[in-house]
């Protein structure tokens, strides 16, 4: 069974230009969920200080509502058998859609992929991907 | 037809309980015909996969095209009944809704720029051309074991293969499936011994002797037969064809004896996959794209062998005024059978063309082109996901009976809802309200947005204060309710019902965008958990875990509770003092346990929805979707107090103004009744007439009688009614603490 762990970071909703201009520490994973919405895994609210200055009404909150796990080749290939949509071929790539019927997201890098979903879906995603670990 | 054996059989299949031999390369249909039989008792055989006249039950699966099924040792074939449909398979478990699905069908996926369906000359040409243009190409052909049964959005090409289903994602699909042969429609066309020209060629190539064969129309290539001219009038024979009657230009009928009648009546495009792909990048090439001449208008005989539709049936529906192809199809069922118009389509078009004077387009096709099993259709599909709150396991450990509400698993009770009820009314209780919708709205236009969205005033809500609000649509109908909590001048937290949260989020976003307002919106529904601490001892409990000065009624603030950062909102749905603690989902178990532990000597208990629904009903609080209907206005719900009609504008105001002076015959009322609560949904009677129904009901432990909310839909509204055979009174809610002192305490 996939072990899906809580992903700690920050969520920032701000003007797209403010998000475009932001820079994040090297050890963070930056997922642009929407043009005005980013989830930065491994970041803290202090890391978003520049955005808060650029956009006074930006929403910047600690985020722990997602769970996920990193997948390597075989596991990703197995997970891909539960995906009905076109998985991007370029890297890095961020994709969102149903995985085994559960709303989920994929962050695809050259050598691995982060599979994540909102924590209320964790149980079902993990159950449905039994054998993909 | 009979075989001229040249070699030992390759094996045997079992047809209707009898073993029959087959030769290498035989399909089931060919093997049956080699043995002198007919795969379906009668009807023209095409051997091209286009008709229903070879479908049979193969290894327990009905409607299998046996001309497309290779004969393999021991294959069990049962022919469909000559009349009617194959019966459902017997199952050990008589309740088929509960019969477990045991046939697992796997799904694999692939992608290609261009998918070409059909590997004939036009398919090969299309594939070659696409490859030359640098595209990745996948060619799928049923004869290679890749039977395309559907094309869905994407486009996604659904392929049935012996090893399971294949879903191919393509940028473009080319359908090169060729053309089907036209079947004869005339009296006697259900006899055995009628084959199309291509079928005759296949049977001849398989070494099957067609006996005294005659051919009408385009003759088969290389098949010994006697060509005859003219138009077919009828086939004669008893069971099997014994003669063909034709008529020439001289109008004289000619009867030609035969044991096999070979028909070459022209072609029709095999374009079903394209006809089910409207709006998708799906193109036709080759014969599948050709426009062929229609056959003559049929005058007698079976048009649709699948649904057993005769020409006179078509004439009947035409006489009744159904004058379009789609209408004739629906009214007669011609074209609704398992071949989806493969046989009847050209004749049906010819019929409509003849009667209307205009040649109609062929009707839209629907997936799947072939009968697929439920296991194949449902392969790798999933039931809806019901979300779990972070406290899911805590509820189970406490004996919670969980059920699905509003898209979540939620505790209905923990064994005894009355015990939970009394904990709320007399002590303190915890409820898991993590499922509530939670939206942050921030920006210079936040007030403007909310003023337009809500029928209450928003600008006068001070930071740190909150207000109960209705959410109305343009028609003034209630779509959700919740709280507005103002954090700063330009930032708000909105809450919504659990079941309505997703729609409410889209509603807010959509209007913000429509109005071009400058706001940021973040949905925190699944990131934040929430625990409702409720009861007369709620404040005492919170003080024990560090919230020294809990907020006053309708106040809210960010604070730390039991070491966990929380957004604390003071409100009340139960009728008692209540504090919602919104907090990070990953800290929820820690907070829940700390509260349960700290409240042990206060008599703390968790409460489930069963108790909550009763508690709120005693207060007369409405649950959207349970008490309200799709067209419930605030007036109908007796909630005009939550609407400020003197506001300049809000969504739904125009409709409310327009309907305010109109008579209305529907109203939600409170009711009380001695004894136990009637079932929700019970009819409400007055003077022998049903005048409404019960929306919510609860046997109040405190009041000792039933309390209800229910709809009356006839005026004048009665004051005394009968429910469940008992007298009930209309009563103004709240039924408990009408002045709301306990909630504010
Ligand atoms: S004989 Fe098999 S489909 Fe027509």
């Amino acid at each position: 069974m996939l072990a899906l762990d809580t992903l700690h970071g920050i969520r920032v909703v701000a003007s797209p230009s403010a998000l475009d201009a932001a820079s994040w520490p090297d050890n963070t994973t930056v997922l642009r969920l929407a043009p005005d919405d980013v989830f930065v895994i491994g970041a803290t609210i202090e890391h978003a200080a520049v955005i808060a200055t650029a956009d006074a009404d930006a929403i910047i909150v600690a985020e722990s509502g997602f769970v996920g796990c990193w997948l390597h080749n075989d596991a990703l290939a197995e997970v891909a058998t539960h995906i009905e949509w076109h998985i991007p071929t370029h890297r890095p790539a961020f994709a969102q859609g149903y995985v085994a019927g559960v709303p989920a997201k994929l962050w695809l890098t050259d050598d691995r992929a982060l599979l994540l979903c909102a924590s209320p879906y964790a149980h079902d995603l993990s159950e449905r991907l039994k054998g993909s670990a | 037809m009979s075989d001229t054996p040249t070699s030992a059989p390759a094996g045997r299949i079992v047809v209707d309980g009898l073993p029959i031999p087959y030769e290498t390369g035989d399909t089931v249909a060919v093997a049956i015909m080699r043995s002198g039989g007919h795969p379906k008792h009668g009807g023209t055989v095409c051997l091209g996969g286009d008709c229903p006249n070879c479908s049979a039950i193969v290894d327990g699966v009905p409607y299998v095209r046996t001309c497309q099924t290779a004969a393999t040792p021991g294959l069990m074939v049962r022919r469909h009944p000559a009349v009617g449909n194959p019966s459902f398979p017997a199952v050990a478990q008589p309740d088929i809704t509960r019969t477990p699905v045991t046939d697992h069908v796997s799904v694999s996926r692939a992608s290609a720029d261009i998918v070409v369906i059909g590997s004939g000359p036009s398919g090969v040409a299309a594939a070659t051309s696409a490859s030359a243009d640098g595209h990745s190409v996948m060619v799928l052909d049923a004869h290679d074991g890749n039977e395309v049964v559907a094309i869905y959005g994407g486009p996604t090409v659904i392929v049935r293969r012996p090893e399971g289903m294949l879903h191919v994602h393509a940028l473009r699909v080319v359908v090169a499936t060729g053309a089907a042969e036209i079947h004869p429609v005339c009296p006697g066309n259900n006899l055995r011994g009628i084959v199309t020209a291509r079928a005759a060629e296949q049977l001849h190539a398989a070494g099957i002797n067609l006996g005294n064969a005659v051919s009408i129309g385009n003759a088969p290539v290389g098949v010994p037969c006697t060509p005859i001219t003219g138009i077919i009038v009828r086939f004669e024979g008893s069971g099997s064809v014994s003669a063909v009657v034709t008529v020439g230009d001289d109008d004289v009928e000619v009867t030609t004896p035969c044991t096999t009648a070979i028909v070459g009546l022209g072609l029709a495009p095999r374009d079903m996959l394209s006809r089910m792909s409207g709006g998708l990048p799906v193109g036709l090439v080759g014969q599948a794209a050709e426009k062929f001449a229609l056959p003559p208008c049929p005058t007698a005989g079976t048009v649709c062998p699948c649904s057993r539709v005769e020409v006179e049936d078509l004439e009947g529906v035409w006489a009744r005024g159904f004058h379009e192809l789609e209408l004739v199809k629906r009214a007669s069922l011609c074209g609704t059978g398992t071949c989806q118009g493969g046989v009847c389509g050209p004749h049906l078009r010819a019929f409509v063309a003849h009667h209307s004077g205009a040649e109609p387009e062929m009707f839209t096709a629907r997936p799947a082109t072939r009968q697929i099993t439920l296991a194949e259709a449902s392969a790798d599909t999933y039931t809806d996901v019901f979300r779990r709150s972070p406290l899911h396991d805590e509820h189970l450990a406490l004996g919670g009976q969980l059920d699905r509400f509003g898209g979540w698993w939620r505790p209905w009770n923990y064994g005894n809802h009355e015990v939970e009820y009394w904990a709320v009314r007399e002590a303190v209780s915890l409820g898991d309200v993590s499922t509530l919708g939670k939206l942050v709205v921030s920006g210079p236009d936040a007030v403007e947005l909310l003023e337009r969205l809500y029928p209450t005033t928003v600008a006068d809500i001070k930071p740190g204060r909150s207000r109960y609000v209705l959410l109305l649509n343009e028609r003034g109908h209630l779509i959700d309710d919740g709280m507005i909590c103002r954090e700063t001048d330009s930032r708000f937290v909105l809450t919504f019902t659990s079941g309505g949260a997703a729609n409410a989020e889209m509603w807010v976003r959509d209007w913000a965008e429509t109005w071009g307002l400058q706001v940021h919106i973040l949905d925190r529904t699944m990131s934040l958990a929430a625990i409702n601490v409720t009861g007369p001892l709620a404040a005492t409990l919170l003080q024990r875990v560090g919230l020294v000065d809990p907020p006053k009624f309708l106040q809210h603030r960010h604070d730390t509770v039991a070491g966990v950062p929380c957004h604390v909102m003071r409100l009340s749905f139960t009728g008692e003092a209540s504090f919602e603690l919104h907090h990070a989902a990953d800290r929820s178990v820690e907070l829940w346990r700390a509260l349960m532990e700290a409240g042990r000597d206060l008599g703390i208990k968790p409460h489930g929805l069963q108790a909550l629904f009763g508690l709120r009903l005693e207060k007369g609080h409405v649950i959207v979707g349970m008490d309200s209907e799709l067209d419930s206005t605030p007036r109908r719900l007796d909630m005009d107090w939550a609407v400020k009609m003197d506001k300049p504008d809000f969504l739904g105001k125009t409709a409310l103004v327009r309907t305010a002076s109109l008579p209305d015959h529907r109203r939600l009322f409170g009711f009380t009744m001695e004894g136990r609560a009637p079932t929700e949904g019970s009819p409400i009677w007055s003077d022998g007439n049903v005048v409404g129904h019960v929306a919510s009901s609860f046997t109040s432990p405190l009041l000792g009688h039933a309390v209800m909310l229910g709809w009356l839909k006839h005026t004048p509204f009665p004051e005394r009614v009968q429910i469940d055979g008992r007298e009930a009174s209309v009563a103004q809610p709240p039924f408990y603490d009408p002045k709301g002192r306990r909630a504010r305490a």
Side-chain angles (χ1 to χ4, degrees), chain B residues 275 325-326 329 334-336 340-341 344-345 348 361-365:
Chain B
R275 284 189 284 111
L325 187 79
E326 291 281 0
K329 172 188 166 186
C334 187
T336 60
Q340 294 208 34
C344 66
L348 186 56
E361 289 296 314
M362 187 57 173
F363 45 69
T364 305

Side-chain angles (χ1 to χ4, degrees), chain A residues 8 11 13-15 55 57-59 61-65 81-84 100-102 118-121 123-124 128, chain B residues 109 111 156 167 169 380 382-388 408 440 442-444 490-491 520-522 524 526-527 584 586:
Chain A
H8 293 278
R11 188 84 174 268
V13 178
S15 65
D55 181 349
D57 289 300
I59 303 170
V61 291
E63 179 63 87
S64 56
T81 67
H82 297 273
I83 293 176
E84 192 55 83
V102 178
S119 56
Y121 294 119
H123 174 85
D124 285 85
R128 292 175 181 196
Chain B
R109 294 186 172 80
S111 56
T156 302
H167 295 185
H169 304 286
D380 207 20
Y382 296 91
T383 52
D384 287 348
V385 194
F386 283 82
R387 291 164 285 180
R388 294 176 176 224
W408 294 79
V440 182
S442 171
S490 60
R491 180 178 298 217
H520 298 308
I521 297 169
L522 174 59
R524 307 227 72 202
M526 290 194 272
S527 297
D586 65 324

Side-chain angles (χ1 to χ4, degrees), chain B residues 605-672:
Chain B
K605 297 266 186 299
H607 65 269
L609 290 180
Q610 190 178 8
L612 180 67
F613 287 177
L615 290 157
R616 67 87 202 182
L617 184 48
E618 289 180 343
K619 289 293 295 178
H621 293 319
V622 163
I623 293 181
V624 178
M626 182 168 170
D627 302 306
S628 65
E629 300 183 328
L630 289 176
D631 58 355
S632 294
T633 57
R635 173 163 61 143
R636 288 177 175 165
L637 295 162
D638 200 18
M639 295 180 81
D640 280 337
W641 55 268
V643 178
K644 296 283 173 276
M645 291 300 286
D646 52 355
K647 276 181 67 171
D649 203 6
F650 59 85
L651 271 180
K653 180 176 177 182
T654 307
L656 294 184
V657 168
R658 185 170 50 78
T659 56
S661 57
L662 300 177
D664 200 354
H665 305 287
R666 283 192 270 167
R667 192 66 53 90
L668 186 72
F669 282 97
F671 299 88
T672 58

Side-chain angles (χ1 to χ4, degrees), chain B residues 336-350:
Chain B
T336 60
T338 62
C339 79
Q340 294 208 34
V343 171
C344 66
H347 299 288
L348 186 56
R349 290 178 64 211

Side-chain angles (χ1 to χ4, degrees), chain B residues 506-650:
Chain B
M506 288 191 285
W507 186 256
V508 175
R509 285 187 190 279
D510 192 31
W511 282 110
E513 195 175 315
T514 300
W515 291 325
L517 296 175
Q518 218 180 320
V519 289
H520 298 308
I521 297 169
L522 174 59
D523 184 2
R524 307 227 72 202
T525 301
M526 290 194 272
S527 297
L528 297 179
I531 295 170
N532 184 27
V533 184
T534 182
L537 302 180
T540 306
L541 173 64
L542 291 173
Q543 283 159 349
R544 286 186 180 186
V545 289
L547 192 66
V548 179
D549 179 25
K552 303 283 183 291
F553 189 60
L554 294 182
Q555 290 182 354
H556 66 98
R557 73 163 185 271
H558 292 265
D559 212 324
T560 300
V561 180
V564 177
C566 291
H567 186 187
V568 186
M569 302 175 188
R570 173 85 187 263
L571 38 84
S572 182
F573 192 51
T574 62
E576 306 297 338
S578 301
F579 302 84
E580 277 182 16
L581 311 177
H582 294 225
H583 55 280
D586 65 324
R587 305 287 302 272
S588 201
V589 171
E590 172 190 345
L591 179 59
W592 175 273
R593 289 181 180 172
L595 291 165
M596 288 296 286
E597 181 58 32
R600 191 185 295 271
D601 64 311
L602 300 177
I604 194 169
K605 297 266 186 299
H607 65 269
L609 290 180
Q610 190 178 8
L612 180 67
F613 287 177
L615 290 157
R616 67 87 202 182
L617 184 48
E618 289 180 343
K619 289 293 295 178
H621 293 319
V622 163
I623 293 181
V624 178
M626 182 168 170
D627 302 306
S628 65
E629 300 183 328
L630 289 176
D631 58 355
S632 294
T633 57
R635 173 163 61 143
R636 288 177 175 165
L637 295 162
D638 200 18
M639 295 180 81
D640 280 337
W641 55 268
V643 178
K644 296 283 173 276
M645 291 300 286
D646 52 355
K647 276 181 67 171
D649 203 6
F650 59 85

Side-chain angles (χ1 to χ4, degrees), chain B residues 375-395:
Chain B
E376 288 165 340
S378 62
D380 207 20
T381 59
Y382 296 91
T383 52
D384 287 348
V385 194
F386 283 82
R387 291 164 285 180
R388 294 176 176 224
S389 101
L391 297 169
H392 189 91
D393 291 342
E394 297 298 302
H395 301 318

